Amino acid sequence: MKIKSFALVSIFIFLLSISVLILFFNISKKMNSNRYVFGATYMNLVNPFFSVVDNGIREVIEAHGDKLISYDAGNDQLKQIDQILDLIDQKVVAIFLNPVDWHLIDPALQAAKKAGIPIINVDTPVYNQNLIDCLVMSDNYLAGKLAAEDLLKRKDHARIVVIDHLSAKSSMDRVEGFKSVLKDNNKYNIVARYSSDGNIEQALSGMEIILKNVPDIDIVFATNDPSAMGVLAALEAAHLTKKVLVYGVDGAPYAKKMIAESKMTATVAQSPVEIGRSAANISYHVLKGEKVDKTILVPVFLINKENVSKYGTESWQ
């Protein structure tokens, strides 16, 4: 009799366990079916700046219990267009976009618009702002101005090299801001300009070419910190690091380290994690159909030898 009772209890416990598992599965399935899935694609994720932007977006989205699919376009615009088409096929609810080329991205934007998927443009603008829902970026024009204003305090004249990124509007805006401060002063002249596509290797090779062909350089303004690192490598090889002042934009930990070691003059700091968080928060307002500002500017500020200890060299600000 005891054996029979034990068998009945065991069967009851087994059936109860199965019921609990089925209930848990159904709840979990319902929860997962209610999750938003977002997409993101960046010009590249080799540059740590974009990885930190992605981390900021992911932090907010996962805090909501939702999911983010992130792609690295490897500086290939055709690849990025394919990535966006893939995200559209996956029926993501919104796409965070850092474009490789601000003009050539247009077909993908048109496709997302047709599919009714909002685009949150991050860090560098697309050309056709009518095809996005919001742009979240640093004040790039101001970044260029801050670098030039610091230069005026250090030199009463200068022969300047600009290392920029011609397919990125953010870089163009930084150069325009830089030039705006110097435009009425003929003691400051841009004597060479080279597009590095924002990466170390191209900046290094471009700077090597310039050093062979352009004499008496005083200043290099690089529109991001990876390019500034390439410039520093070329200057070091030519034994010119103490002669030429180097400015960058980003506020990357490695750039701040170079400033602390007196190898780099200054960088205009961005906050990629705040760009990411702001973009993610805005996306939820867009999904609710709420009105949002078309452009959100995240503040920038100059870091040089005088204040670098305040911000540290181990992490982003």
mmCIF file of all heavy atoms in Angstrom, residues 37-56:
data_model
loop_
_atom_site.group_PDB
_atom_site.id
_atom_site.type_symbol
_atom_site.label_atom_id
_atom_site.label_comp_id
_atom_site.label_asym_id
_atom_site.label_seq_id
_atom_site.Cartn_x
_atom_site.Cartn_y
_atom_site.Cartn_z
ATOM 1 N N VAL A 37 13.013 44.379 -31.122
ATOM 2 C CA VAL A 37 14.333 44.080 -31.669
ATOM 3 C C VAL A 37 14.769 45.288 -32.500
ATOM 4 O O VAL A 37 14.078 45.691 -33.437
ATOM 5 C CB VAL A 37 14.333 42.810 -32.532
ATOM 6 C CG1 VAL A 37 15.724 42.562 -33.114
ATOM 7 C CG2 VAL A 37 13.887 41.610 -31.708
ATOM 8 N N PHE A 38 15.898 45.880 -32.133
ATOM 9 C CA PHE A 38 16.459 47.033 -32.824
ATOM 10 C C PHE A 38 17.660 46.587 -33.651
ATOM 11 O O PHE A 38 18.290 45.577 -33.358
ATOM 12 C CB PHE A 38 16.942 48.088 -31.818
ATOM 13 C CG PHE A 38 15.852 48.724 -30.994
ATOM 14 C CD1 PHE A 38 15.328 48.077 -29.872
ATOM 15 C CD2 PHE A 38 15.366 49.982 -31.313
ATOM 16 C CE1 PHE A 38 14.341 48.670 -29.103
ATOM 17 C CE2 PHE A 38 14.391 50.592 -30.550
ATOM 18 C CZ PHE A 38 13.863 49.926 -29.442
ATOM 19 N N GLY A 39 18.006 47.385 -34.648
ATOM 20 C CA GLY A 39 19.205 47.142 -35.431
ATOM 21 C C GLY A 39 20.134 48.339 -35.370
ATOM 22 O O GLY A 39 19.701 49.472 -35.120
ATOM 23 N N ALA A 40 21.421 48.085 -35.589
ATOM 24 C CA ALA A 40 22.410 49.168 -35.648
ATOM 25 C C ALA A 40 23.495 48.800 -36.636
ATOM 26 O O ALA A 40 23.888 47.635 -36.729
ATOM 27 C CB ALA A 40 23.015 49.421 -34.267
ATOM 28 N N THR A 41 23.975 49.783 -37.367
ATOM 29 C CA THR A 41 25.114 49.568 -38.254
ATOM 30 C C THR A 41 26.007 50.796 -38.203
ATOM 31 O O THR A 41 25.531 51.933 -38.259
ATOM 32 C CB THR A 41 24.685 49.239 -39.700
ATOM 33 O OG1 THR A 41 25.851 49.223 -40.542
ATOM 34 C CG2 THR A 41 23.682 50.212 -40.249
ATOM 35 N N TYR A 42 27.323 50.538 -38.093
ATOM 36 C CA TYR A 42 28.326 51.597 -37.927
ATOM 37 C C TYR A 42 29.329 51.534 -39.062
ATOM 38 O O TYR A 42 29.601 50.457 -39.600
ATOM 39 C CB TYR A 42 29.061 51.419 -36.595
ATOM 40 C CG TYR A 42 28.134 51.365 -35.408
ATOM 41 C CD1 TYR A 42 27.605 50.146 -34.984
ATOM 42 C CD2 TYR A 42 27.768 52.524 -34.729
ATOM 43 C CE1 TYR A 42 26.727 50.095 -33.908
ATOM 44 C CE2 TYR A 42 26.901 52.469 -33.647
ATOM 45 C CZ TYR A 42 26.377 51.254 -33.241
ATOM 46 O OH TYR A 42 25.521 51.208 -32.183
ATOM 47 N N MET A 43 29.921 52.687 -39.409
ATOM 48 C CA MET A 43 30.936 52.691 -40.466
ATOM 49 C C MET A 43 32.038 51.676 -40.160
ATOM 50 O O MET A 43 32.548 51.012 -41.051
ATOM 51 C CB MET A 43 31.511 54.085 -40.708
ATOM 52 C CG MET A 43 32.227 54.731 -39.554
ATOM 53 S SD MET A 43 33.029 56.304 -40.038
ATOM 54 C CE MET A 43 31.632 57.388 -40.276
ATOM 55 N N ASN A 44 32.391 51.533 -38.879
ATOM 56 C CA ASN A 44 33.244 50.432 -38.443
ATOM 57 C C ASN A 44 33.181 50.333 -36.928
ATOM 58 O O ASN A 44 32.808 51.286 -36.257
ATOM 59 C CB ASN A 44 34.687 50.584 -38.933
ATOM 60 C CG ASN A 44 35.426 51.711 -38.230
ATOM 61 O OD1 ASN A 44 35.811 51.585 -37.067
ATOM 62 N ND2 ASN A 44 35.623 52.833 -38.917
ATOM 63 N N LEU A 45 33.522 49.163 -36.424
ATOM 64 C CA LEU A 45 33.592 48.966 -34.972
ATOM 65 C C LEU A 45 35.031 48.736 -34.524
ATOM 66 O O LEU A 45 35.271 48.381 -33.374
ATOM 67 C CB LEU A 45 32.691 47.801 -34.543
ATOM 68 C CG LEU A 45 31.192 48.096 -34.591
ATOM 69 C CD1 LEU A 45 30.375 46.834 -34.369
ATOM 70 C CD2 LEU A 45 30.796 49.161 -33.571
ATOM 71 N N VAL A 46 35.981 48.951 -35.449
ATOM 72 C CA VAL A 46 37.394 48.883 -35.082
ATOM 73 C C VAL A 46 37.755 50.107 -34.252
ATOM 74 O O VAL A 46 38.496 50.018 -33.269
ATOM 75 C CB VAL A 46 38.277 48.801 -36.346
ATOM 76 C CG1 VAL A 46 39.746 48.866 -35.975
ATOM 77 C CG2 VAL A 46 37.977 47.514 -37.110
ATOM 78 N N ASN A 47 37.229 51.260 -34.652
ATOM 79 C CA ASN A 47 37.409 52.481 -33.872
ATOM 80 C C ASN A 47 36.656 52.322 -32.552
ATOM 81 O O ASN A 47 35.431 52.167 -32.551
ATOM 82 C CB ASN A 47 36.868 53.675 -34.653
ATOM 83 C CG ASN A 47 37.093 55.011 -33.949
ATOM 84 O OD1 ASN A 47 37.384 55.068 -32.756
ATOM 85 N ND2 ASN A 47 36.949 56.089 -34.690
ATOM 86 N N PRO A 48 37.344 52.359 -31.406
ATOM 87 C CA PRO A 48 36.674 52.152 -30.120
ATOM 88 C C PRO A 48 35.531 53.126 -29.861
ATOM 89 O O PRO A 48 34.603 52.807 -29.113
ATOM 90 C CB PRO A 48 37.800 52.360 -29.096
ATOM 91 C CG PRO A 48 39.060 52.122 -29.854
ATOM 92 C CD PRO A 48 38.795 52.568 -31.256
ATOM 93 N N PHE A 49 35.585 54.310 -30.480
ATOM 94 C CA PHE A 49 34.521 55.294 -30.298
ATOM 95 C C PHE A 49 33.160 54.687 -30.630
ATOM 96 O O PHE A 49 32.196 54.833 -29.869
ATOM 97 C CB PHE A 49 34.782 56.514 -31.187
ATOM 98 C CG PHE A 49 33.742 57.590 -31.075
ATOM 99 C CD1 PHE A 49 33.853 58.578 -30.117
ATOM 100 C CD2 PHE A 49 32.650 57.615 -31.925
ATOM 101 C CE1 PHE A 49 32.883 59.574 -30.004
ATOM 102 C CE2 PHE A 49 31.677 58.593 -31.830
ATOM 103 C CZ PHE A 49 31.802 59.583 -30.867
ATOM 104 N N PHE A 50 33.076 53.992 -31.769
ATOM 105 C CA PHE A 50 31.796 53.440 -32.190
ATOM 106 C C PHE A 50 31.366 52.262 -31.318
ATOM 107 O O PHE A 50 30.177 52.036 -31.111
ATOM 108 C CB PHE A 50 31.849 53.047 -33.664
ATOM 109 C CG PHE A 50 32.129 54.208 -34.577
ATOM 110 C CD1 PHE A 50 33.202 54.184 -35.454
ATOM 111 C CD2 PHE A 50 31.347 55.343 -34.541
ATOM 112 C CE1 PHE A 50 33.468 55.257 -36.284
ATOM 113 C CE2 PHE A 50 31.607 56.432 -35.364
ATOM 114 C CZ PHE A 50 32.670 56.389 -36.239
ATOM 115 N N SER A 51 32.333 51.528 -30.809
ATOM 116 C CA SER A 51 32.001 50.441 -29.876
ATOM 117 C C SER A 51 31.371 50.996 -28.601
ATOM 118 O O SER A 51 30.432 50.411 -28.057
ATOM 119 C CB SER A 51 33.263 49.648 -29.517
ATOM 120 O OG SER A 51 33.797 49.001 -30.651
ATOM 121 N N VAL A 52 31.877 52.147 -28.151
ATOM 122 C CA VAL A 52 31.326 52.754 -26.938
ATOM 123 C C VAL A 52 29.934 53.334 -27.210
ATOM 124 O O VAL A 52 29.044 53.250 -26.371
ATOM 125 C CB VAL A 52 32.281 53.829 -26.378
ATOM 126 C CG1 VAL A 52 31.691 54.498 -25.147
ATOM 127 C CG2 VAL A 52 33.628 53.203 -26.024
ATOM 128 N N VAL A 53 29.734 53.921 -28.405
ATOM 129 C CA VAL A 53 28.386 54.365 -28.797
ATOM 130 C C VAL A 53 27.425 53.180 -28.749
ATOM 131 O O VAL A 53 26.330 53.271 -28.178
ATOM 132 C CB VAL A 53 28.384 54.986 -30.212
ATOM 133 C CG1 VAL A 53 26.957 55.248 -30.680
ATOM 134 C CG2 VAL A 53 29.174 56.291 -30.245
ATOM 135 N N ASP A 54 27.851 52.062 -29.340
ATOM 136 C CA ASP A 54 27.017 50.859 -29.362
ATOM 137 C C ASP A 54 26.716 50.364 -27.954
ATOM 138 O O ASP A 54 25.589 49.956 -27.651
ATOM 139 C CB ASP A 54 27.713 49.766 -30.169
ATOM 140 C CG ASP A 54 26.822 48.567 -30.425
ATOM 141 O OD1 ASP A 54 25.805 48.719 -31.116
ATOM 142 O OD2 ASP A 54 27.141 47.469 -29.918
ATOM 143 N N ASN A 55 27.714 50.417 -27.068
ATOM 144 C CA ASN A 55 27.500 49.996 -25.676
ATOM 145 C C ASN A 55 26.455 50.879 -24.994
ATOM 146 O O ASN A 55 25.634 50.389 -24.213
ATOM 147 C CB ASN A 55 28.816 50.066 -24.897
ATOM 148 C CG ASN A 55 29.789 48.980 -25.304
ATOM 149 O OD1 ASN A 55 29.406 47.985 -25.913
ATOM 150 N ND2 ASN A 55 31.064 49.172 -24.994
ATOM 151 N N GLY A 56 26.494 52.190 -25.290
ATOM 152 C CA GLY A 56 25.508 53.101 -24.699
ATOM 153 C C GLY A 56 24.100 52.791 -25.168
ATOM 154 O O GLY A 56 23.143 52.797 -24.382
#
